[in-house]
């Protein structure tokens, strides 16, 4: 707890301590429509050698926690990279 802060000091504490517990997803969705950024191989459209493998590629928010889908995305990214680079 911040103690007996007032005025600007209290405002600074609130600004520094505030955080979100939301899991950001769907900001660079996978797909083929005009709102999509990533293809099925997790490559960003129009940028060579850049892939995204996190919750941002989900086309829709899951109804539960995002951890399990993110693990699946990571596992799939590993498979894609192993196949692409012969590992």
């Amino acid at each position: 707890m911040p103690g007996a802060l007032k005025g600007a000091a209290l405002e600074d504490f609130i600004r520094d301590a505030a955080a979100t517990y939301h899991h950001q997803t769907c900001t660079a969705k996978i797909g083929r429509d005009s709102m999509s950024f990533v293809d099925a191989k997790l490559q960003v459209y129009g940028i060579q050698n850049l892939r995204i493998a996190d919750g941002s590629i989900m086309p829709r928010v899951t109804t539960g926690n995002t951890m399990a889908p993110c693990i699946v995305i990571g596992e799939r990214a590993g498979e894609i990279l192993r196949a692409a680079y012969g590992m």
Side-chain angles (χ1 to χ4, degrees), residues 41-86:
K41 293 185 179 179
L42 306 179
Q43 295 173 317
V44 176
Y45 292 124
I47 301 177
Q48 193 173 16
N49 298 323
L50 178 63
R51 296 178 193 260
I52 298 177
D54 61 19
S56 64
I57 69 164
M58 290 189 244
R60 289 177 296 282
V61 178
T62 61
T63 57
N65 193 302
T66 58
M67 182 182 166
C70 287
I71 290 171
V72 172
I73 292 166
E75 291 289 331
R76 182 69 182 126
E79 292 172 358
I80 291 168
L81 291 173
R82 279 192 295 277
Y85 296 103

Side-chain angles (χ1 to χ4, degrees), residues 1-53:
M1 297 305 298
L5 298 179
K6 293 184 181 184
L10 180 58
E11 184 177 333
D12 288 342
F13 172 80
I14 292 169
R15 288 182 187 276
D16 291 340
T20 179
Y21 291 99
H22 297 285
H23 301 285
Q24 300 301 319
T25 60
C26 311
T27 56
K29 80 175 196 160
I30 194 170
R32 295 184 187 169
D33 63 12
S34 63
M35 296 295 292
S36 298
F37 289 86
V38 180
D39 68 13
K41 293 185 179 179
L42 306 179
Q43 295 173 317
V44 176
Y45 292 124
I47 301 177
Q48 193 173 16
N49 298 323
L50 178 63
R51 296 178 193 260
I52 298 177

